[in-house]
Amino acid sequence: MNKENIIEISDPEIVHFGEIFLIALRIKNLAENYAYLDKKVLISGGGPVGLTTALVLKHYGWEVEICEIRSRRREIAEKLGIKTYSIINEVPESNYSVVVDCAGEDPVIPYIFPDQISKVIKGGAIILVGVYFSEVNFNALEILLNEI
């Protein structure tokens, strides 16, 4: 390693954003495996990870949409040119080659993982980033038949 490649960071917030950015790049690399189907992605959860992921994918030519229950986060996404939905039931079915779950489980909001399955086109993928602390029930046959 060369000393020229080292950047000193004194603000811990920048380090935190760096971690989020690296997660977003990893998601982008995983999503690229499904780009041959269509470069259309739904991100559920418009928090720091979801929004950063949206911006990275948008930069790489993906059509990005976000499902986010909090209006302030939707406003930020919309200002950045990203179409948003407030609830998963508004999102078109079988419309995305990739769905990225950045929401996970929230103590107040019921988890939406099972609802995300119907949003993926045949042969597409769901990338789980959000954390679930309890058991999640879903229809495994739907995943199998749609090759998700």
Side-chain angles (χ1 to χ4, degrees):
M1 177 169 25
N2 296 330
K3 289 192 307 186
E4 301 85 40
N5 294 333
I6 298 174
I7 301 170
E8 184 178 341
I9 299 174
S10 58
D11 184 353
E13 292 302 315
I14 293 173
V15 173
H16 181 67
F17 177 74
E19 293 170 348
I20 293 170
F21 186 67
L22 291 174
I23 292 167
L25 287 175
R26 176 64 178 141
I27 293 167
K28 179 259 181 200
N29 287 338
L30 290 170
E32 288 292 332
N33 292 322
Y34 301 90
Y36 70 94
L37 294 168
D38 189 3
K39 290 183 87 171
K40 189 167 183 183
V41 62
L42 173 70
I43 299 173
S44 61
V49 173
L51 193 55
T52 303
T53 299
L55 291 172
V56 167
L57 288 169
K58 188 175 176 184
H59 174 78
Y60 284 97
W62 284 73
E63 182 181 341
V64 180
E65 297 177 1
I66 290 181
C67 181
E68 170 57 56
I69 197 165
R70 292 169 182 88
S71 61
R72 179 69 181 126
R73 289 179 175 181
R74 284 195 314 276
E75 289 171 12
I76 293 168
E78 288 166 3
K79 285 181 182 175
L80 295 168
I82 298 167
K83 182 176 180 175
T84 66
Y85 301 94
S86 60
I87 58 172
I88 195 74
N89 296 339
E90 296 176 347
V91 178
E93 298 205 355
S94 300
N95 200 34
Y96 306 90
S97 56
V98 176
V99 171
V100 182
D101 180 342
C102 292
E105 183 177 13
D106 186 297
V108 180
I109 304 162
Y111 62 82
I112 60 171
F113 176 73
D115 299 318
Q116 295 172 0
I117 296 168
S118 68
K119 310 308 178 187
V120 181
I121 62 175
K122 187 170 185 165
I126 297 176
I127 300 172
L128 293 174
V129 181
V131 177
Y132 290 87
F133 297 99
S134 60
E135 191 173 301
V136 176
N137 296 312
F138 59 90
N139 184 344
L141 184 59
E142 185 178 9
I143 291 173
L144 174 70
L145 294 176
N146 287 306
E147 302 171 7
I148 296 173

